[in-house]
Amino acid sequence: MLKTSLKTIILAFAFSSCAQAQKDYPTMGQVEILGPAMEKIVDADAKVEKLADGMVWAEGPVWVSDGDYLLYSDTRQNIIYKWSEKDGLQHFIKPAGFEGPGVYSEEEGTNGLLINKDGFLIACDHGNRRIAKIVLKSKQKETLVDTWEGKKFNSPNDICQHPNGDYYFTDPPYGLPGREKDTTTKEIVENGVYRVNSQGVASQVISNLARPNGIALSVDAKKLYVALSDGNNPYIMVYDVKEDGSVGEGSIFYDFKKQFPEESLAADGIKVDDDGNLYAAAGDGVIVMNSDGSTIGRIRSGVHTANCAFGEDGYLYMTASDQLLRIKLR
């Protein structure tokens, strides 16, 4: 009896301490249920929480399970931030991309981030025009790949990893000194999509997209999704992934202009959950669609949203302009 009572007291104290440690964050926005599948993802009355602000353009969030924290980029302040429930917001790496001298471009930091199969941080490094591998503990950086056929990439933007270890990434011009109008430093004509194999060799797998941006693989890794931040063609494209790592012809998976004709929307970052649903950062939040391309809901914060990532704590984290946001999922 004494042991049971003591255990009860300890559990009650732990619960109380946890409750006291839970911070209250400002809330905003709303969830729009546009299909029954959305009700399985998030509560209709769930609110978006604002965790931090002070960024200029927040991007590329990724959850780090070894330590339970989030990393994300500020491409314009050249910082990778770290956020955790315990310690709040901290600088993780500065400078994250270009290290000088002088200023390289308006967006010279890192953009998309991922934790690879071996636990390294993989970063799309605008300022150094490369994919970088970073050791989390020492923060030591090295180049994974920075050229295709001897030419420097434009500004790698977002990245995903195939179960076999290959990477796929997009390479638009947004990090170049002249951005879309750059004719001086741009070495590759195409704003391509690339595959990097286990030997660190890049191959251009897609060459006919004007503004490739977010990128993600389907759950079974047989399809590659590419979001276009292109006002004229605001699509998410889908491609069959072949056994040799190349991709098929491609087709339009989702057309934002068709789905939301009264709004000017195009996707930035995209993610895929375990059920095959796609989450596209677009406009003032995240649009959720199922694996058939049907819209099932929206998570709207009212803040222009660039990217999102799933946390192992049950939240969807969103980088939105100068803010870091999250919402609890089911």
Side-chain angles (χ1 to χ4, degrees), residues 211-272:
R211 299 288 181 269
N213 200 317
I215 191 166
L217 284 156
S218 61
V219 177
D220 61 8
K222 292 182 178 181
K223 295 184 183 297
L224 182 70
Y225 300 101
V226 180
L228 309 186
S229 52
D230 182 348
N232 295 320
N233 302 290
Y235 308 143
I236 295 176
M237 302 292 295
V238 62
Y239 302 82
D240 290 329
V241 179
K242 300 179 181 180
E243 288 189 10
D244 64 357
S246 63
V247 303
E249 188 67 23
S251 60
I252 297 172
F253 174 77
Y254 194 86
D255 182 343
F256 287 89
K257 190 178 292 185
K258 182 177 179 180
Q259 296 292 328
F260 302 97
E262 296 181 0
E263 298 182 60
S264 178
L265 296 174
D268 194 326
I270 54 175
K271 295 294 186 294
V272 177

Coordinates of all heavy atoms in Angstrom, one line a residue, residues 211-272:
R211 N 10.5 27.2 -62.0 CA 10.7 27.5 -60.7 C 10.5 26.3 -59.7 O 9.6 26.3 -58.9 CB 9.8 28.7 -60.2 CG 9.9 30.0 -61.0 CD 11.2 30.7 -60.6 NE 11.3 31.9 -61.3 CZ 11.9 32.1 -62.5 NH1 12.4 31.0 -63.1 NH2 12.0 33.2 -63.1
P212 N 11.3 25.3 -59.9 CA 11.2 24.1 -58.9 C 11.6 24.6 -57.5 O 12.5 25.3 -57.3 CB 12.2 23.1 -59.5 CG 13.2 24.0 -60.2 CD 12.5 25.1 -60.8
N213 N 10.8 24.2 -56.6 CA 11.0 24.6 -55.2 C 11.0 23.5 -54.2 O 11.9 22.8 -54.0 CB 10.0 25.7 -54.9 CG 10.4 26.6 -53.7 OD1 10.9 26.1 -52.7 ND2 10.2 27.9 -53.9
G214 N 9.8 23.3 -53.5 CA 9.7 22.2 -52.6 C 9.8 20.8 -53.3 O 9.4 20.6 -54.4
I215 N 10.3 19.8 -52.5 CA 10.4 18.5 -53.1 C 10.2 17.4 -52.0 O 10.6 17.6 -50.9 CB 11.8 18.3 -53.7 CG1 11.9 17.0 -54.6 CG2 12.9 18.4 -52.7 CD1 13.1 17.0 -55.5
A216 N 9.6 16.3 -52.4 CA 9.3 15.2 -51.4 C 9.0 13.9 -52.2 O 8.6 13.9 -53.4 CB 8.1 15.6 -50.6
L217 N 9.3 12.8 -51.5 CA 9.0 11.5 -52.1 C 7.7 10.9 -51.4 O 7.4 11.2 -50.3 CB 10.2 10.6 -51.8 CG 11.4 10.7 -52.6 CD1 12.6 10.2 -51.9 CD2 11.2 10.1 -54.0
S218 N 7.0 10.1 -52.2 CA 5.9 9.4 -51.6 C 6.3 8.4 -50.6 O 7.5 8.1 -50.4 CB 5.1 8.7 -52.7 OG 6.0 7.7 -53.4
V219 N 5.4 7.9 -49.8 CA 5.7 6.9 -48.7 C 6.5 5.7 -49.2 O 7.5 5.3 -48.6 CB 4.4 6.5 -48.0 CG1 4.8 5.5 -46.9 CG2 3.7 7.7 -47.4
D220 N 6.1 5.2 -50.4 CA 6.9 4.0 -50.9 C 8.0 4.4 -51.8 O 8.7 3.6 -52.4 CB 5.9 3.1 -51.7 CG 5.3 3.9 -52.9 OD1 5.6 5.0 -53.2 OD2 4.3 3.3 -53.5
A221 N 8.3 5.8 -51.9 CA 9.4 6.3 -52.6 C 9.4 6.0 -54.1 O 10.4 6.1 -54.8 CB 10.8 5.8 -52.1
K222 N 8.2 5.7 -54.6 CA 8.0 5.4 -56.1 C 7.6 6.6 -56.9 O 7.6 6.6 -58.1 CB 7.0 4.3 -56.3 CG 7.5 2.9 -55.7 CD 6.5 1.8 -56.0 CE 7.0 0.5 -55.5 NZ 6.0 -0.6 -55.8
K223 N 7.3 7.7 -56.2 CA 6.9 8.9 -56.8 C 7.6 10.1 -56.2 O 7.9 10.2 -55.0 CB 5.4 9.2 -56.7 CG 4.5 8.1 -57.4 CD 3.0 8.5 -57.3 CE 2.2 7.4 -58.0 NZ 2.5 7.3 -59.5
L224 N 8.0 11.0 -57.1 CA 8.7 12.2 -56.6 C 7.8 13.4 -56.9 O 7.3 13.6 -58.0 CB 10.0 12.4 -57.4 CG 10.9 13.6 -57.0 CD1 11.5 13.5 -55.6 CD2 12.0 13.9 -58.0
Y225 N 7.5 14.2 -55.9 CA 6.7 15.4 -56.0 C 7.6 16.7 -56.0 O 8.5 16.8 -55.2 CB 5.7 15.6 -54.8 CG 4.8 14.4 -54.7 CD1 5.0 13.4 -53.7 CD2 3.6 14.3 -55.5 CE1 4.1 12.3 -53.6 CE2 2.7 13.2 -55.3 CZ 3.0 12.3 -54.4 OH 2.1 11.2 -54.3
V226 N 7.3 17.6 -56.9 CA 8.1 18.8 -57.0 C 7.1 20.0 -57.1 O 6.2 20.0 -58.0 CB 9.0 18.9 -58.3 CG1 9.7 20.2 -58.3 CG2 9.9 17.7 -58.3
A227 N 7.2 20.9 -56.2 CA 6.3 22.1 -56.1 C 7.0 23.2 -56.9 O 8.2 23.5 -56.9 CB 6.1 22.6 -54.7
L228 N 6.1 23.9 -57.7 CA 6.6 25.1 -58.5 C 6.1 26.4 -57.9 O 4.9 26.6 -57.8 CB 6.1 24.9 -59.9 CG 6.3 23.6 -60.7 CD1 5.8 23.7 -62.1 CD2 7.7 23.2 -60.6
S229 N 7.1 27.2 -57.5 CA 6.7 28.6 -57.1 C 6.7 29.5 -58.3 O 7.4 30.4 -58.4 CB 7.8 29.1 -56.0 OG 9.1 29.0 -56.6
D230 N 5.7 29.2 -59.1 CA 5.6 29.8 -60.5 C 4.2 30.3 -60.6 O 3.2 29.5 -60.7 CB 5.9 28.8 -61.5 CG 5.9 29.3 -62.9 OD1 5.4 30.4 -63.1 OD2 6.3 28.6 -63.9
G231 N 4.0 31.6 -60.6 CA 2.7 32.2 -60.7 C 1.9 31.8 -61.9 O 0.7 31.7 -61.9
N232 N 2.6 31.6 -63.0 CA 2.0 31.2 -64.3 C 1.6 29.7 -64.3 O 0.7 29.3 -65.0 CB 2.9 31.5 -65.5 CG 3.1 33.0 -65.6 OD1 2.2 33.8 -65.5 ND2 4.4 33.3 -65.9
N233 N 2.4 28.9 -63.6 CA 2.1 27.5 -63.5 C 2.2 27.0 -62.1 O 3.2 26.3 -61.7 CB 3.1 26.7 -64.4 CG 3.1 27.1 -65.8 OD1 2.1 26.9 -66.6 ND2 4.1 27.8 -66.3
P234 N 1.2 27.3 -61.3 CA 1.3 27.0 -59.8 C 1.0 25.6 -59.5 O -0.1 25.3 -59.0 CB 0.3 28.0 -59.2 CG -0.7 28.2 -60.3 CD 0.0 28.1 -61.6
Y235 N 1.8 24.7 -59.9 CA 1.5 23.2 -59.8 C 2.4 22.5 -58.8 O 3.5 23.0 -58.4 CB 1.8 22.5 -61.2 CG 1.2 23.2 -62.4 CD1 1.9 23.2 -63.6 CD2 -0.1 23.7 -62.4 CE1 1.3 23.7 -64.7 CE2 -0.7 24.2 -63.5 CZ 0.0 24.3 -64.7 OH -0.5 24.8 -65.8
I236 N 1.9 21.4 -58.4 CA 2.8 20.4 -57.8 C 2.8 19.3 -58.9 O 1.8 18.7 -59.3 CB 2.2 19.8 -56.5 CG1 2.2 20.9 -55.4 CG2 3.1 18.6 -56.0 CD1 1.6 20.4 -54.1
M237 N 4.0 19.0 -59.3 CA 4.2 18.0 -60.4 C 4.5 16.6 -59.7 O 5.1 16.6 -58.6 CB 5.4 18.3 -61.3 CG 5.2 19.7 -62.0 SD 3.9 19.7 -63.2 CE 4.6 18.5 -64.4
V238 N 4.2 15.5 -60.4 CA 4.6 14.2 -59.9 C 5.3 13.4 -61.0 O 4.9 13.5 -62.1 CB 3.3 13.5 -59.4 CG1 2.3 13.2 -60.5 CG2 3.7 12.2 -58.7
Y239 N 6.3 12.6 -60.5 CA 7.1 11.9 -61.4 C 7.3 10.4 -60.9 O 7.5 10.3 -59.7 CB 8.5 12.5 -61.6 CG 8.5 13.9 -62.1 CD1 8.3 15.0 -61.2 CD2 8.7 14.2 -63.4 CE1 8.2 16.3 -61.7 CE2 8.7 15.5 -63.9 CZ 8.4 16.6 -63.0 OH 8.4 17.8 -63.4
D240 N 7.2 9.5 -61.8 CA 7.6 8.1 -61.4 C 9.1 8.0 -61.2 O 9.8 8.4 -62.1 CB 7.1 7.1 -62.4 CG 5.6 7.0 -62.5 OD1 4.9 7.2 -61.4 OD2 5.0 6.7 -63.5
V241 N 9.5 7.4 -60.1 CA 10.9 7.1 -59.9 C 11.3 5.8 -60.4 O 10.7 4.8 -60.0 CB 11.3 7.2 -58.4 CG1 12.8 7.0 -58.1 CG2 10.9 8.6 -57.8
K242 N 12.3 5.8 -61.3 CA 12.7 4.5 -62.0 C 13.7 3.8 -61.1 O 14.3 4.4 -60.2 CB 13.2 4.8 -63.4 CG 12.2 5.4 -64.3 CD 12.8 5.7 -65.7 CE 11.8 6.4 -66.6 NZ 12.3 6.6 -67.9
E243 N 14.0 2.5 -61.4 CA 14.9 1.7 -60.7 C 16.3 2.3 -60.7 O 17.1 2.2 -59.7 CB 15.0 0.3 -61.2 CG 13.7 -0.5 -60.8 CD 13.8 -2.0 -61.1 OE1 14.9 -2.4 -61.5 OE2 12.8 -2.7 -61.0
D244 N 16.7 3.0 -61.8 CA 18.1 3.6 -61.9 C 18.2 4.9 -61.2 O 19.2 5.6 -61.3 CB 18.5 3.6 -63.3 CG 17.7 4.5 -64.2 OD1 16.7 5.1 -63.7 OD2 18.0 4.7 -65.4
G245 N 17.1 5.4 -60.6 CA 17.1 6.7 -60.0 C 16.6 7.9 -60.8 O 16.3 8.9 -60.3
S246 N 16.5 7.7 -62.1 CA 15.9 8.7 -63.0 C 14.4 8.8 -62.8 O 13.8 7.9 -62.1 CB 16.3 8.4 -64.5 OG 15.7 7.2 -64.9
V247 N 13.8 9.7 -63.4 CA 12.4 9.9 -63.2 C 11.7 9.9 -64.6 O 12.3 10.2 -65.6 CB 12.0 11.1 -62.4 CG1 12.7 11.1 -61.1 CG2 12.4 12.4 -63.2
G248 N 10.4 9.6 -64.6 CA 9.6 9.6 -65.8 C 9.2 11.0 -66.3 O 9.8 12.0 -65.8
E249 N 8.3 11.1 -67.2 CA 8.0 12.4 -67.9 C 7.4 13.4 -67.0 O 7.6 14.6 -67.1 CB 7.0 12.1 -69.1 CG 6.7 13.3 -70.0 CD 8.0 13.7 -70.8 OE1 8.9 12.9 -71.0 OE2 8.0 14.9 -71.2
G250 N 6.5 12.9 -66.1 CA 5.9 13.9 -65.1 C 4.6 14.4 -65.6 O 4.3 14.4 -66.8
S251 N 3.7 14.7 -64.6 CA 2.4 15.2 -64.9 C 2.0 16.1 -63.7 O 2.6 16.2 -62.7 CB 1.4 14.1 -65.0 OG 1.3 13.3 -63.8
I252 N 0.9 16.9 -64.0 CA 0.4 17.8 -62.9 C -0.4 17.0 -61.9 O -1.3 16.4 -62.2 CB -0.5 18.9 -63.6 CG1 0.3 19.8 -64.5 CG2 -1.1 19.8 -62.5 CD1 -0.5 20.7 -65.3
F253 N 0.1 17.0 -60.7 CA -0.6 16.4 -59.6 C -1.6 17.3 -58.9 O -2.7 16.8 -58.6 CB 0.4 15.9 -58.5 CG -0.2 15.4 -57.3 CD1 -0.7 14.1 -57.3 CD2 -0.2 16.1 -56.1 CE1 -1.2 13.5 -56.1 CE2 -0.8 15.6 -55.0 CZ -1.3 14.3 -55.0
Y254 N -1.3 18.6 -58.9 CA -2.2 19.5 -58.2 C -2.0 20.9 -58.8 O -0.9 21.4 -59.0 CB -1.8 19.6 -56.7 CG -2.9 20.3 -55.8 CD1 -3.9 19.5 -55.3 CD2 -2.7 21.6 -55.5 CE1 -4.9 20.1 -54.5 CE2 -3.7 22.2 -54.6 CZ -4.7 21.5 -54.1 OH -5.7 22.1 -53.3
D255 N -3.1 21.5 -59.1 CA -3.1 22.9 -59.8 C -3.8 23.8 -58.8 O -5.0 23.8 -58.6 CB -3.9 22.8 -61.1 CG -3.9 24.1 -61.9 OD1 -3.6 25.1 -61.3 OD2 -4.2 24.0 -63.1
F256 N -3.0 24.7 -58.2 CA -3.5 25.7 -57.2 C -4.5 26.7 -57.9 O -5.5 27.1 -57.2 CB -2.4 26.4 -56.5 CG -1.7 25.6 -55.5 CD1 -0.6 24.8 -56.0 CD2 -2.1 25.5 -54.2 CE1 0.1 24.0 -55.1 CE2 -1.4 24.7 -53.3 CZ -0.3 24.0 -53.7
K257 N -4.2 27.0 -59.1 CA -5.1 28.0 -59.8 C -6.5 27.4 -60.0 O -7.5 28.0 -59.9 CB -4.5 28.4 -61.1 CG -5.2 29.6 -61.8 CD -4.5 30.0 -63.1 CE -3.1 30.6 -62.8 NZ -2.5 31.1 -64.0
K258 N -6.5 26.1 -60.3 CA -7.8 25.4 -60.6 C -8.5 25.2 -59.2 O -9.7 25.3 -59.2 CB -7.5 24.0 -61.2 CG -8.7 23.2 -61.6 CD -8.4 22.0 -62.3 CE -9.6 21.1 -62.6 NZ -9.3 19.9 -63.3
Q259 N -7.8 24.8 -58.2 CA -8.4 24.5 -56.9 C -8.9 25.8 -56.2 O -9.9 25.8 -55.5 CB -7.4 23.8 -56.0 CG -7.0 22.4 -56.5 CD -8.2 21.4 -56.5 OE1 -9.0 21.5 -55.6 NE2 -8.2 20.5 -57.5
F260 N -8.1 26.9 -56.3 CA -8.4 28.1 -55.6 C -8.3 29.3 -56.6 O -7.4 30.1 -56.6 CB -7.4 28.3 -54.5 CG -7.4 27.2 -53.5 CD1 -6.4 26.2 -53.5 CD2 -8.4 27.2 -52.5 CE1 -6.4 25.2 -52.6 CE2 -8.3 26.1 -51.5 CZ -7.4 25.1 -51.6
P261 N -9.3 29.4 -57.5 CA -9.3 30.4 -58.6 C -9.3 31.8 -58.1 O -8.9 32.7 -58.9 CB -10.5 30.0 -59.5 CG -11.4 29.3 -58.6 CD -10.5 28.5 -57.6
E262 N -9.8 32.0 -56.9 CA -10.0 33.4 -56.4 C -8.7 33.8 -55.6 O -8.7 35.0 -55.1 CB -11.2 33.5 -55.6 CG -12.5 33.3 -56.4 CD -13.8 33.4 -55.6 OE1 -13.6 33.7 -54.4 OE2 -14.9 33.3 -56.1
E263 N -7.8 33.0 -55.5 CA -6.6 33.3 -54.7 C -5.3 33.1 -55.6 O -5.3 32.3 -56.5 CB -6.4 32.4 -53.5 CG -7.6 32.5 -52.5 CD -7.4 31.7 -51.2 OE1 -6.4 31.9 -50.5 OE2 -8.2 30.8 -51.0
S264 N -4.3 33.9 -55.3 CA -3.0 33.7 -56.0 C -2.1 32.9 -55.1 O -1.4 33.4 -54.3 CB -2.4 35.1 -56.3 OG -1.2 34.9 -56.9
L265 N -2.1 31.5 -55.4 CA -1.4 30.6 -54.6 C -0.4 29.8 -55.4 O -0.7 29.4 -56.5 CB -2.4 29.6 -53.9 CG -3.4 30.2 -52.9 CD1 -4.3 29.1 -52.4 CD2 -2.6 30.8 -51.7
A266 N 0.7 29.5 -54.8 CA 1.7 28.5 -55.3 C 2.4 27.9 -54.1 O 2.6 28.6 -53.1 CB 2.7 29.2 -56.3
A267 N 2.8 26.7 -54.3 CA 3.5 26.0 -53.1 C 4.9 26.4 -53.0 O 5.6 26.6 -54.0 CB 3.3 24.5 -53.3
D268 N 5.4 26.4 -51.8 CA 6.8 26.5 -51.5 C 7.3 25.1 -51.0 O 7.4 24.2 -51.8 CB 7.1 27.6 -50.5 CG 8.5 28.0 -50.3 OD1 9.4 27.1 -50.5 OD2 8.8 29.2 -50.1
G269 N 7.5 24.9 -49.7 CA 7.9 23.6 -49.2 C 6.7 22.6 -49.2 O 5.6 23.0 -49.0
I270 N 7.0 21.3 -49.3 CA 6.0 20.3 -49.3 C 6.5 19.1 -48.4 O 7.7 18.9 -48.4 CB 5.6 19.8 -50.6 CG1 6.8 19.3 -51.5 CG2 4.8 20.8 -51.4 CD1 6.4 18.7 -52.8
K271 N 5.6 18.4 -47.7 CA 5.9 17.2 -47.0 C 4.9 16.2 -47.2 O 3.7 16.5 -47.5 CB 6.0 17.6 -45.5 CG 7.2 18.5 -45.1 CD 8.5 17.9 -45.3 CE 9.7 18.8 -44.8 NZ 9.8 20.1 -45.6
V272 N 5.2 14.9 -46.9 CA 4.3 13.8 -47.1 C 4.2 13.1 -45.8 O 5.2 12.7 -45.2 CB 4.7 12.8 -48.2 CG1 3.8 11.6 -48.3 CG2 4.8 13.6 -49.5

